[in-house]
Amino acid sequence: LESAHFLADARDLVRAHLDRRKRDEGLLYFDDLLNRLDGALQGPGAEGLARAIRRRYPVALIDEFQDTDPQQYRIFRRVYQGQADCGLFLIGDPKQAIYGFRGADIFTYMQARRDAEGSGRQFTLGVNWRSGSRLIQALNALYRGAVRPFIQEPHIRFQPVAPSPSADERSLLLDGEEPPALQFWMLRIHDSNQTKRPPGFIRRDMAQSQAAGGCAERIAELLERADRGAARLGDMPLQAKDIAVLVRTHREGELIQQALRDCRVGSVSLSQDSVFSTEDAGELETLLTAMVEPNDEALVRTALASGLLGRRADELERLGRDELAWEQILARFQGYRARWLEQGPMVAFQSILVEEEIGARLLRRPDGERRLTNLLQLGELIQVASREQPGPDGLMRWLADQRADGQRDEARQLRLESDEGLVKVVTMHKSKGLEYPLVFIPFPWSYFQPPRPPALVRFHDPVNLAACLDLGSEDQARHRRLEQTEQLAERLRLFYVAVTRAAKLCVLCWGRVKGAEGSALAYLLHPDPASTTPASRLADLTEEEIRADLDALADRLPAAIQIRDLPTPSGIRRPAQGPEPTGLDAAHFAGTIDTRWRVTSYSALLRGEEPERPDHDGATATAAPEAEPDDAPMDPVFALPAGIQAGYLLHALFEQLDFPTASGPALETRVRTLLERYGQLRTSSRPVAGPAPDWTPHLLELATQVLDTHLDAGATLRLRDIGWGDRLTELEFHFPLTHLDPAGLRSLLAGFEDYRGTADGLTFEPLRGLMRGFIDLVFRHAGRFYLLDYKSNHLGNRLADYAPAALHRAMRQHRYDLQYLIYSLALHRFLGQRVPDYAYERHFGGVYYLFLRGMRPDQGPRYGVWQARPEERLIAELDRHLVGRRDLT
């Protein structure tokens, strides 16, 4: 009882803490939407809400309802139950409820079925439109001969189905004959004394090896016969893509793929695993890290030693003595970094793939196609992420986060290695909803036994179907039997999904495998009538008795069900695939590629700087701050370390804060979370012994000062007063460039006194394409729109170092004036598309650059605040010059 109270309290504490964190960060998860709707439908105004939902959606149709949960069913029942003018249609096959690990609850379906009993509104589909008639007859015989084949009767029953009129239009024919549709291949123990009690078992690893080899050789034989025209599906030869091998785990899939490779049969795996969890993701991270830091020789050596670049130890040792060769490698990596900065991560990624011959190296490996597919998928995901992650450092941090994150979604799932017609190796869970003419299930004895502490039992009440957790009651032994029965029932449903994926032929390997007595097939074929709970008697049977049970099944339908020994290994190997070399040559390319079209940015124009990343914290060379007296206390804000991590952290902080409420515990929580994410800041880039200082108080003070400082002389504008409804954070923009070159930009800006010299010294190549960027903040105040950029530069340790003259020097030195001109043009074009009757003079408020370290509420805009408002004529000229049509001659 004490343990139960402790766990309940711990659960409540964790939930409350998580809810508070999400509230502080302004986050809502999908589950939160359900929780809020569920709560609203049980609280005040519930009937009005339900009526409004019904009015908008008078009919609801829910497919795959067997995968629902109690909360979702409660919501729909509350909205629709007893409403004569509405309709709620629940569609599902409870025999295919296999997603309990994702939260699906078959007992919710059972409760819904119970609720609908007696209504006369339960309907069953009686025709199978997938499988051939022989396979349908065989499965009907298998399940009709079993005792309570899904255990949870009367809620889940097996109902025989009929074949469709077109079921046999594309029959499987081997040498002109249709083979039995359901085949059991017997594995043998190879023990001379099979009458002893208890008899021996086949070790699981031996059973897996035999079954994998037998299935692979049979598949190779079928394909060889198809090449001779002796194996056909209807009018077409059987093809590899018509065959699937279903497994329970990815390790089992690897065993099958290796067995198929041994027979020279190509295969692909269909998996729910995340591509970020693969070895290839780790090796790509190593490679990209070396590309980002090409001057770090240790990182480059590590990348060279990875599987992607494949340098052996002796080669690396020779490189250590060959200075010229080593310098050439470092130069290549510097070139990859330059391409990343100038043309984006995908161009750099493709360059290193080709120039370092990574694809050819991987494809020489037995699993090369799988590895190369993973690598290309990761490259695409990185390219997509680059739209939101500024600069290589941001992308590398994003990649590390993805590898640490265990979540799965469709974009992350491993892709098929190839679209070619290859044998599919698919997990049973992933196969749901799919169809294959031929299905092999080599390991039907394999099942998952969920780990559970001895004192913790999960089960459902057999009367009211409620979910229960027993932490040590007097009835725990009985409840454990209920739990075990539920687990067996789920295994039976998964097996049903697997065998019903086949359309023409299903092959299962079976035998006295160690541990197989708890599997679904053991219960179906060898039930134990003497047991008080559903169980099999496989562990007490000899091989002859197992074979007798199978023969009894086959005797009911000899034309459709076959029992045979596992085929004897034949050593069959398919001939090398692919056409003979024909001496093809690459076509001559006579066209031209306009390299001037590209996506660029403000910082990409400043040769060598990374495109659109938060600013580095760095001391400004033009601001030579005077030292404070030795005994003068350091302002805690000035004491904050400079450096790239500090810059990222400060930008992220103001991006995520809700300005009006950013104070007290909410602000401190946000600061501490960011410190954990970006790493504790240090005053030196060199390793320092001991723990890093806690900069939380300093960051709290800086954030509070920035939010409370008035930005205008009239003291009417503070960030503190800007709510979410009046701000856009990290506004990404793209606008077209018809032509941009340094000379033209200098000539245009020379006509405006405040910006003469802004483009001096720029030497980028003429280009066209798209200008891209991210504006830290766009906000609305008094009917006008402003853009704002956070600058974390360290200009000195005195307020005077953040006075207007010092800010002017920093703005010119870093060419921030060019940056805000580009940003102003982007915002001008954006507002012109979004604001009715937009006029620059009336709606564009101007530009604020906030040098965060120098802002103090008692000083207003005197320190740390740079404000400008480019004249309308300049923005219009920029628009015409950059976006207008011009000849590129």
Side-chain angles (χ1 to χ4, degrees):
L1 187 60
E2 211 172 287
S3 174
H5 284 304
F6 171 78
L7 291 174
D9 290 344
R11 178 202 61 188
D12 293 341
L13 177 66
V14 169
R15 284 180 174 174
H17 181 70
L18 181 60
D19 288 342
R20 184 169 63 253
R21 286 285 296 272
K22 287 188 290 189
R23 185 172 58 252
D24 291 344
E25 297 178 24
L27 298 176
L28 275 179
Y29 295 168
F30 177 75
D31 282 349
D32 296 319
L33 302 179
L34 289 174
N35 292 337
R36 293 192 177 193
L37 178 57
D38 188 23
L41 286 171
Q42 299 178 56
E47 183 52 45
L49 175 59
R51 188 166 50 250
I53 295 173
R54 288 194 299 271
R55 186 182 306 117
R56 186 168 185 179
Y57 305 106
V59 175
L61 185 152
I62 306 173
D63 197 11
E64 302 289 350
F65 186 73
Q66 77 275 357
D67 296 327
T68 192
D69 61 46
Q71 183 181 54
Q72 295 182 54
Y73 179 50
R74 184 166 58 246
I75 289 171
F76 283 102
R77 184 168 54 182
R78 175 68 181 84
V79 172
Y80 291 102
Q81 190 173 38
Q83 303 298 321
D85 56 342
C86 296
L88 175 61
F89 297 86
L90 309 178
I91 303 168
D93 182 356
K95 302 186 298 299
Q96 298 190 53
I98 60 173
Y99 294 128
F101 66 96
R102 292 183 182 172
D105 182 20
I106 184 60
F107 289 87
T108 299
Y109 175 93
M110 291 159 60
Q111 180 62 56
R113 183 180 177 88
R114 179 182 289 182
D115 292 343
E117 284 178 357
S119 67
R121 296 180 179 178
Q122 295 184 15
F123 306 93
T124 300
L125 300 178
V127 176
N128 180 315
W129 292 87
R130 169 188 289 122
S131 303
S133 60
R134 283 196 179 188
L135 186 56
I136 291 173
Q137 292 166 10
L139 293 179
N140 282 343
L142 171 65
Y143 280 97
R144 274 193 294 199
V147 178
R148 296 171 61 207
F150 295 97
I151 296 177
Q152 289 153 332
E153 293 188 355
H155 308 288
I156 306 177
R157 287 195 178 102
F158 176 77
Q159 295 178 296
V161 293
S164 71
S166 59
D168 297 322
E169 287 183 354
R170 293 182 70 240
S171 295
L172 173 66
L173 299 176
L174 303 181
D175 295 321
E177 298 290 334
E178 186 175 356
L182 182 62
Q183 298 183 14
F184 291 89
W185 293 358
M186 285 290 297
L187 306 175
R188 292 296 184 178
I189 301 176
H190 304 298
D191 186 338
S192 59
N193 184 8
Q194 281 301 293
T195 60
K196 64 181 182 180
R197 297 285 184 172
F201 288 98
I202 308 173
R203 287 193 351 233
R204 291 177 69 90
D205 58 341
M206 293 296 296
Q208 287 180 329
S209 177
Q210 292 177 35
C215 289
E217 287 199 349
R218 177 60 168 165
I219 290 170
E221 179 199 347
L222 287 170
L223 295 176
E224 188 273 333
R225 295 170 75 172
D227 293 339
R228 295 187 282 107
R232 307 183 69 83
L233 266 178
D235 297 331
M236 299 293 294
L238 178 70
Q239 300 180 57
K241 68 179 182 180
D242 300 321
I243 303 172
V245 184
L246 304 189
V247 295
R248 191 186 60 79
T249 69
H250 301 301
R251 182 183 176 279
E252 293 173 358
E254 291 168 1
L255 289 174
I256 285 292
Q257 287 200 284
Q258 183 57 55
L260 290 168
R261 281 194 290 267
D262 291 342
C263 296
R264 295 180 184 169
V265 174
S267 66
V268 292
S269 63
L270 190 59
S271 168
Q272 290 181 312
D273 276 2
S274 168
V275 72
F276 290 108
S277 66
T278 63
E279 177 185 349
D280 307 290
E283 292 201 338
L284 180 60
E285 185 177 19
T286 299
L287 179 60
L288 296 182
T289 302
M291 291 171 61
V292 172
E293 301 289 345
N295 295 322
D296 188 324
E297 297 188 13
L299 291 177
V300 175
R301 287 182 186 277
T302 302
L304 291 174
S306 69
L308 297 180
L309 299 185
R311 298 298 181 96
R312 301 190 308 271
D314 59 331
E315 292 180 288
L316 293 175
E317 194 273 335
R318 283 197 301 272
L319 281 173
R321 293 183 277 104
D322 189 340
E323 186 174 344
L324 179 59
W326 182 242
E327 288 296 330
Q328 289 174 343
I329 288 176
L330 293 179
R332 288 210 304 272
F333 272 79
Q334 289 163 355
Y336 300 141
R337 172 184 164 86
R339 287 178 213 175
W340 189 334
L341 299 180
E342 293 174 6
Q343 297 173 279
M346 182 55 79
V347 173
F349 176 72
Q350 294 286 356
S351 297
I352 200 167
L353 279 182
V354 173
E355 295 177 25
E356 303 297 333
E357 299 181 342
I358 290 175
R361 182 176 299 106
L362 290 178
L363 289 175
R364 286 196 291 268
R365 301 174 51 157
D367 60 348
E369 194 170 9
R370 170 77 273 163
R371 304 294 297 274
L372 184 58
T373 300
N374 291 349
L375 200 60
L376 294 175
Q377 183 179 359
L378 288 162
E380 291 180 21
L381 292 170
I382 287 172
Q383 173 65 18
V384 172
S386 69
R387 301 170 186 168
E388 299 179 0
Q389 306 298 326
D393 291 313
L395 265 181
M396 293 307 299
R397 189 171 62 252
W398 172 86
L399 178 57
D401 288 345
Q402 303 312 301
R403 294 193 60 223
D405 189 351
Q407 69 173 318
R408 299 177 181 179
D409 57 40
E410 187 173 344
R412 297 163 177 254
Q413 283 182 14
L414 290 173
R415 293 178 183 166
L416 286 175
E417 296 97 307
S418 170
D419 290 328
E420 297 178 21
L422 304 178
V423 174
K424 306 296 189 296
V425 179
V426 192
T427 62
M428 294 179 183
H429 281 97
K430 186 69 174 178
S431 72
K432 184 173 181 292
L434 302 179
E435 172 187 337
Y436 305 97
L438 281 70
V439 166
F440 288 77
I441 307 177
F443 320 123
W445 59 80
S446 174
Y447 63 90
F448 174 65
Q449 185 69 40
R452 191 84 68 212
L456 190 150
V457 177
R458 291 174 54 184
F459 67 100
H460 287 75
D461 187 286
V463 177
N464 61 21
L465 306 181
C468 303
L469 183 64
D470 189 330
L471 298 172
S473 77
E474 295 178 354
D475 292 329
Q476 191 174 73
R478 181 171 64 86
H479 295 157
R480 189 175 299 282
R481 289 193 293 273
L482 288 172
E483 177 186 51
Q484 292 167 349
T485 299
E486 290 179 21
Q487 292 169 1
L488 175 58
E490 183 152 0
R491 293 196 285 271
L492 285 162
R493 297 193 297 271
L494 181 61
F495 177 77
Y496 177 82
V497 167
V499 295
T500 55
R501 297 310 93 200
K504 305 300 179 183
L505 172 67
C506 183
V507 174
L508 303 106
C509 299
W510 192 240
R512 200 168 192 282
V513 180
K514 187 171 181 60
E517 62 273 9
S519 66
L521 189 54
Y523 172 76
L524 290 173
L525 295 174
H526 318 289
D528 184 358
S531 176
T532 57
T533 59
S536 82
R537 55 191 176 92
L538 178 68
D540 297 323
L541 300 178
T542 64
E543 282 192 334
E544 286 68 21
E545 290 168 331
I546 293 173
R547 178 65 184 253
D549 283 347
L550 289 170
D551 287 339
L553 171 63
D555 289 344
R556 300 177 205 160
L557 207 64
I561 302 176
Q562 181 187 64
I563 315 300
R564 56 171 292 184
D565 286 341
L566 183 77
T568 303
S570 64
I572 185 172
R573 299 291 183 270
R574 297 207 72 206
Q577 301 297 301
E580 293 295 323
T582 57
L584 297 178
D585 293 324
H588 176 68
F589 178 68
T592 59
I593 298 176
D594 185 358
T595 58
R596 291 174 292 181
W597 200 104
R598 66 184 64 175
V599 178
T600 190
S601 65
Y602 141 75
S603 49
L605 303 181
L606 312 184
R607 295 177 63 91
E609 296 200 20
E610 298 181 7
E612 290 315 300
R613 56 180 290 170
D615 304 304
H616 288 220
D617 265 349
T620 301
T622 57
E626 297 180 11
E628 294 283 354
D630 291 341
D631 58 349
M634 170 71 76
D635 187 308
V637 169
F638 295 141
L640 277 169
I644 185 172
Q645 291 297 93
Y648 281 136
L649 188 151
L650 289 170
H651 276 79
L653 177 63
F654 287 99
E655 176 185 338
Q656 297 174 18
L657 286 181
D658 176 23
F659 298 157
T661 63
S663 61
L667 177 58
E668 182 174 352
T669 297
R670 172 52 39 201
V671 168
R672 291 192 181 278
T673 300
L674 288 172
L675 279 172
E676 291 173 4
R677 176 180 178 186
Y678 289 94
Q680 288 291 335
L681 308 177
R682 291 190 182 273
T683 55
S684 170
S685 60
R686 296 185 298 274
V688 178
D694 182 8
W695 296 106
T696 303
H698 303 67
L699 290 168
L700 291 174
E701 183 168 352
L702 180 145
T704 302
Q705 290 180 165
V706 169
L707 294 176
D708 290 335
T709 297
H710 284 99
L711 306 183
D712 60 333
T716 63
L717 173 59
R718 301 182 307 167
L719 290 183
R720 176 74 71 187
D721 302 320
I722 300 170
W724 286 111
D726 289 310
R727 59 186 277 200
L728 291 174
T729 300
E730 283 292 312
L731 176 65
E732 181 180 7
F733 65 82
H734 294 79
F735 63 77
L737 294 174
T738 55
H739 181 71
L740 179 60
D741 63 70
L745 188 59
R746 283 194 296 272
S747 175
L748 185 151
L749 296 178
F752 299 88
E753 182 176 354
D754 291 341
Y755 301 96
R756 288 174 189 160
T758 294
D760 289 354
L762 294 179
T763 57
F764 59 87
E765 295 295 325
L767 56 88
R768 63 189 182 92
L770 289 175
M771 176 65 73
R772 178 200 185 202
F774 297 84
I775 302 175
D776 285 353
L777 180 67
V778 172
F779 68 89
R780 177 173 54 193
H781 171 68
R784 287 190 163 193
F785 297 86
Y786 299 80
L787 70 86
L788 183 148
D789 206 279
Y790 306 112
K791 295 301 176 188
S792 52
N793 307 52
H794 183 271
L795 305 183
N797 295 330
R798 307 173 309 157
L799 273 180
D801 298 322
Y802 298 84
L807 299 188
H808 179 76
R809 287 194 298 269
M811 294 290 293
R812 295 306 294 263
Q813 177 190 7
H814 295 288
R815 299 187 189 271
Y816 292 150
D817 44 2
L818 176 60
Q819 181 185 41
Y820 74 65
L821 287 179
I822 293 172
Y823 287 7
S824 295
L825 174 57
L827 182 57
H828 168 66
R829 294 175 62 83
F830 177 78
L831 295 175
Q833 297 171 354
R834 301 298 181 91
V835 177
D837 301 322
Y838 168 75
Y840 183 90
E841 286 298 326
R842 185 166 68 252
H843 293 105
F844 188 86
V847 174
Y848 282 102
Y849 272 51
L850 304 186
F851 289 78
L852 304 174
R853 299 170 190 265
M855 298 177 66
R856 301 293 185 274
D858 60 343
Q859 298 294 329
R862 291 178 57 202
Y863 299 103
V865 179
W866 174 267
Q867 194 273 339
R869 186 171 183 272
E871 59 181 284
E872 182 180 10
R873 185 170 66 89
L874 171 56
I875 300 303
E877 286 291 323
L878 273 175
D879 202 355
R880 281 191 290 271
H881 181 79
L882 301 183
V883 184
R885 297 183 178 276
R886 295 173 57 111
D887 292 331
L888 296 179
T889 55

